[in-house]
């Protein structure tokens, strides 16, 4: 199936999010879309999938103009989309989720589970999508849930599959598997529109690359183009993909963690007797496959979870179990891993989110009264400084593109003096230009004498920023190394090998 | 640009509300026509003399609505009654609105008003104090009574995670029973009466009248301004709205949901207590099982119609107050049952709650966005 986009335009008020976009998706190709945060990639996809009405322009499928008022129309025309936030019912099995709303597996008023299970099995075999049709979705890891979404789209006979930043939440292993699945789908004739900010992935699976900047297609490239060139096409200037940094000048210990043990709400011990220290002017990178206790470690560090045992001392004062407010006031900055869940209030304006944890500060409040003028000025400054692309500072944050939402969180946490910065996936969903910027800011913060803890599943990011790397596996720190050790060795540690490599768990 | 955006949002919801009002009046008109005897008499001859039917119907509808309008706004006296009737609706509505902005669905205005009336009423009829001081004490007693009852639900929510809808409903029953029990005791019984009725509040505890309306009306409007300020302009309101919209992000930002839930319900209760003061200290009603009427429940409707904004709540309260005063006048002068106004009020709320339906009926262009679930990049 050939999909042709002609002059597609989307306006939000005066703002043009997509400006006469022309794009052709050939049958059986993986077409990558690259573009800065807020360039309009998701907007374009939402129009293709019937979630937004185009202001102008048309979509042709096999030379026939089509219009989609609802996702139902788009699905019927053979377009499938995997949302970044999966739309699955957690307490249903895989097969039940796939047959939701699918009339063909109905036997009268009853649902024909057997047939649905068979369908899932057939699809998963055909495309090499390994998944157990009878498993409950809530028990599946993110990567497998994503596969279920893909199967769901395929079960509606999708000929064009839209994947909007599918790799942002996956582990490197899962990304590898996803790319394999994408190749398999392409070889069997499905076209894929693949959006990502990771240039390596584009080069690995892409057949063709289109670059969007400020709502316009500014060029196409093929996968042999170098990462630096691609980055330049996206951002319109040359981008340093690796931060320059001086060796750290380690000073006094700021954060000292001893014998920290944390139990999650289900009663599993997820952080097991961890101890480490971070000094002023030093970045400690915490590497590890998602789900090995990093989330809970970070939450304990900023006081969102009370640890079972252990001491978290900041400048010599134990702050464990004092709650986030005390940590904030003691000078801890925090960039949470899930910005829409923990970082921003979606319905609040950009302006309000920029002071979400600063509203009590004398700069922004006089007694109980908010200082509206100062809050507005602050917003203008942060928007300028961090290049947050938004219609205005009164726009609700939920209307911003994903990467720009992340910039709001980052801008806020960098707008006060910090002793310790805890950043979890600080550049998730952020474009290369902004990654460069955020990384530079983190290093500048370090050089100012802040102790920094970076938790990331991206080894690139860990290597780029860290002065020391602690690898977490199964709730423990299995090794602390310097960034000059080869990736393979860290990979081994992440898989559970201990320092010496002999004791596998 | 930004202000344009805000006015657009404001205007869009105002349009829906006005349209809902119009449709409700239209349906009300049909009801008036068919409940009118003169109109019903023309029905057997509807096809031979259709004119008679329309003349009679127009007459019934016109005179009913005219009587309603005149009764609620036609004279200074009518306006004063409307204001006084609206005041408790506004206050209790503000209580619901306030809690709602913290993400709490406060069904308990009724119970909060009841306890407030009980405590405030007692002070008003039993204590002997000089004029100004007595009023002040009785007023504060009302506020404390409401705050107490609201606070119970708040603490249960904050400390034990008990859902506020359940607890406030249950507390309504408890409050009603407490009132009945108190009225069976000598301390609250009116001497020489067997009915569940307390003595009249003393004059020293009554709101003075200014230009035909009692002071409470002014207090209700002041309360609205205060609620607006707190919600929009204060750090407390910032916390409240943040917790209401995304408790996780609020907690991460160092806010305490426990404190917010408790404070929100205490203040919501105090506002309901102010509503009770309108009854007891404004109208001067003695305590009885029917004292609060259904104001505590109408408050939910008022807050809903007012889109949980202070200004909206005031406007909705005034509308409901006017309709209720006008309804009585309508029944008295042209005999159309005053229950009609309750039907119209219910219809307005029904239509406001179903905006898509109203937009379709009125053929407003849907601006999109709004309810559509937009797919965005991850986490967007
Ligand atoms: N409903 C909306 N109302 C107003 N503006 C919007 C709306 N949806 C998107 N926008 C704006 O349109 C622009 C494009 O957003 P879009 O989500 O398409 O970006 P994107 O290319 O997907 O970026 P990212 O890589 O950060 O996900 C952004 O500036 C965003 O603020
Ligand atoms: Mg996007």
């Amino acid at each position: 199936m050939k999909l042709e986009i002609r002059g597609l335009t989307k306006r939000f008020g005066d703002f043009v999010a997509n400006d006469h976009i022309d794009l052709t998706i050939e049958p059986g190709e993986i077409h990558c879309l690259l573009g800065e945060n807020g360039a309009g990639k998701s907007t374009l996809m939402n129009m293709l999938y019937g979630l937004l009405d185009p202001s102008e322009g048309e979509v042709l499928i096999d030379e026939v103009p089509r219009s989609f008022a609802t996702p139902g129309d788009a699905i019927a025309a053979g377009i499938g989309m995997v949302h970044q936030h999966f739309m699955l019912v957690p307490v249903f099995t895989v097969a039940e989720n796939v047959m939701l709303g699918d009339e063909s597996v109905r036997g009268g008023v009853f649902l024909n589970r057997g047939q649905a299970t068979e369908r899932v099995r057939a699809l998963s075999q055909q495309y090499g999508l390994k998944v157990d049709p009878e498993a409950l979705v809530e028990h599946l890891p993110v990567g497998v849930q994503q596969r279920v979404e893909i199967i769901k789209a395929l079960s509606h006979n999708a000929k064009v599959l839209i994947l909007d930043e599918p790799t942002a939440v996956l582990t490197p292993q899962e990304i590898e598997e996803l790319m394999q699945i994408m190749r398999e789908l392409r070889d069997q004739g499905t076209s894929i529109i693949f959006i990502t900010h990771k240039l390596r992935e584009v080069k690995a699976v892409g057949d063709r690359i289109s670059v969007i900047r400020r709502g316009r297609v500014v060029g196409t490239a093929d996968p042999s183009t170098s990462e630096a060139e691609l980055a330049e096409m996206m951002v319109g200037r040359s981008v340093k993909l690796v931060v320059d940094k001086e060796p750290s000048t380690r000073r006094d210990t700021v954060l000292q963690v001893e014998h920290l043990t944390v139990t999650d709400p289900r009663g599993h011990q997820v952080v097991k007797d961890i101890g480490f220290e971070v000094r002023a002017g030093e970045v400690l990178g915490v590497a590890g496959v998602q789900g090995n206790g990093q989330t809970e470690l970070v939450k304990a560090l900023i006081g969102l979870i009370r640890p079972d045992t252990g001491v978290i001392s900041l400048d010599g004062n134990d702050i464990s179990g004092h709650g986030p407010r005390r940590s904030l006031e003691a000078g801890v900055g925090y960039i949470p891993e899930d910005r829409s869940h923990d970082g921003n209030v979606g319905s609040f304006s950009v302006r309000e989110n920029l002071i979400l944890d600063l509203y009590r500060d004398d700069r922004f409040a006089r007694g109980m009264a908010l200082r509206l003028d100062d809050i507005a000025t602050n917003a203008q400054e942060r928007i300028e400084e961090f290049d947050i692309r938004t219609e205005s500072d009164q726009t609700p944050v939920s209307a911003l593109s994903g990467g720009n939402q992340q910039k709001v969180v980052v801008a806020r946490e960098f707008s006060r003096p910090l002793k310790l910065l805890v950043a979890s996936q600080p550049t998730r969903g952020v474009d290369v230009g902004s990654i460069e910027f955020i990384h530079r800011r983190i290093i500048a913060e370090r050089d100012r004498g802040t102790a920094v803890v970076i938790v990331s599943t991206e080894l690139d990011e860990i290597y780029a920023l860290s002065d020391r790397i602690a690898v977490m596996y199964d709730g423990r720190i299995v090794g602390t190394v310097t960034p000059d050790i080869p990736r393979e060795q860290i990979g081994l540690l992440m898989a559970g090998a201990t320092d010496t490599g002999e004791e596998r768990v | 640009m930004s202000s344009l955006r805000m006015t657009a949002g404001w205007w869009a919801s105002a349009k829906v509300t006005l349209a809902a009002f119009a449709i409700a009046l239209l349906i009300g008109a049909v009801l008036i026509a068919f409940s009118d005897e003169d109109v019903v008499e023309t029905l057997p001859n509807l096809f031979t003399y259709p004119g008679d039917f329309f003349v009679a119907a127009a007459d019934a509808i016109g005179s009913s609505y005219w009587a309603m309008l005149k009764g609620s706004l036609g004279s200074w006296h009518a306006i004063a009654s409307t204001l006084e009737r609206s005041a408790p609706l506004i206050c209790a509505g503000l209580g619901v609105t306030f809690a709602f902005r913290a993400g709490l669905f406060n069904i308990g205005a009724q119970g909060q008003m009841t306890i407030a009336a009980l405590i405030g009423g007692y002070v008003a009829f039993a204590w002997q104090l000089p004029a100004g001081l007595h009023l002040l004490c009785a007023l504060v007693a009302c506020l404390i009574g409401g705050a107490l009852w609201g606070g119970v639900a708040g603490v249960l929510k904050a400390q034990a995670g008990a859902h506020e809808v359940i607890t406030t409903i249950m507390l309504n029953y408890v409050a009603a029973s407490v009132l009945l029990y108190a009225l069976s005791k000598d301390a609250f019984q009116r001497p020489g009466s067997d009915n569940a009725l307390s003595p009249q509040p003393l004059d020293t505890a009554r709101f003075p009248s200014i230009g035909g309306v009692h002071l409470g009306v002014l207090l209700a409007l002041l309360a609205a301004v205060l609620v607006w300020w707190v919600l929009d302009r204060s750090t407390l309101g910032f916390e409240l709205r943040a917790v209401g919209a995304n408790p996780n992000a609020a907690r991460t930002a160092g806010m305490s949901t426990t404190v917010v839930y408790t404070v929100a319900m205490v203040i919501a209760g105090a506002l309901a207590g102010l509503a009770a003061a309108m009854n007891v200290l404004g109208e001067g009603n003695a305590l009885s099982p029917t004292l609060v009427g259904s104001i505590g429940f109408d408050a939910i409707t008022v807050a809903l119609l007012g889109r949980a904004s202070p200004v909206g709540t005031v406007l909705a309260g005034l509308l409901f107050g006017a309709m209720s005063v006008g309804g009585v006048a309508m029944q008295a002068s042209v005999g159309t049952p005053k229950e009609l106004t309750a039907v119209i009020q219910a219809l307005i709320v029904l239509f406001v709650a179903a905006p898509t339906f109203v937009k379709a009926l009125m053929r407003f262009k849907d601006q999109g966005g709004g309810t559509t679930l937009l797919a965005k990049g991850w986490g967007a």
Side-chain angles (χ1 to χ4, degrees), chain A residues 46 84 359 368 370 400 428, chain B residues 233 235 239 375-376 378-379:
Chain A
N46 284 331
Q84 197 59 55
Y359 62 97
M368 268 205 22
L370 292 171
L400 262 56
R428 181 180 271 180
Chain B
R233 297 290 161 98
T235 52
E239 285 181 348
K376 300 215 108 206
W378 89 275

Side-chain angles (χ1 to χ4, degrees), chain A residues 85 299 336-346 405, chain B residues 246-252 378-379:
Chain A
H85 270 179
K299 287 196 167 169
E337 64 179 22
D338 185 341
R339 57 175 163 256
S340 46
H341 193 262
D342 300 313
N344 284 323
V345 175
Q405 297 187 11
Chain B
N246 183 350
N248 291 308
R251 225 174 280 129
T252 306
W378 89 275

Side-chain angles (χ1 to χ4, degrees), chain A residues 159-177:
Chain A
K159 291 283 173 287
V160 175
L161 192 60
I162 300 171
L163 302 173
D164 191 352
E165 292 190 47
T167 58
V169 289
L170 300 186
T171 63
Q173 175 64 29
E174 287 170 328
I175 292 174
E176 228 8 89
E177 287 167 13

Side-chain angles (χ1 to χ4, degrees), chain B residues 44-55:
Chain B
N45 304 321
L46 182 60
F47 294 104
T48 32
Y49 303 107
D52 288 2
F53 167 77
F54 287 111
V55 169

Side-chain angles (χ1 to χ4, degrees), chain A residues 37-38 40-43 164-165 195 197 401-403, chain B residues 376-378 380:
Chain A
N37 296 126
K41 305 177 294 291
S42 299
T43 304
D164 191 352
E165 292 190 47
I195 300 179
H197 286 295
S401 77
Chain B
K376 300 215 108 206
W378 89 275

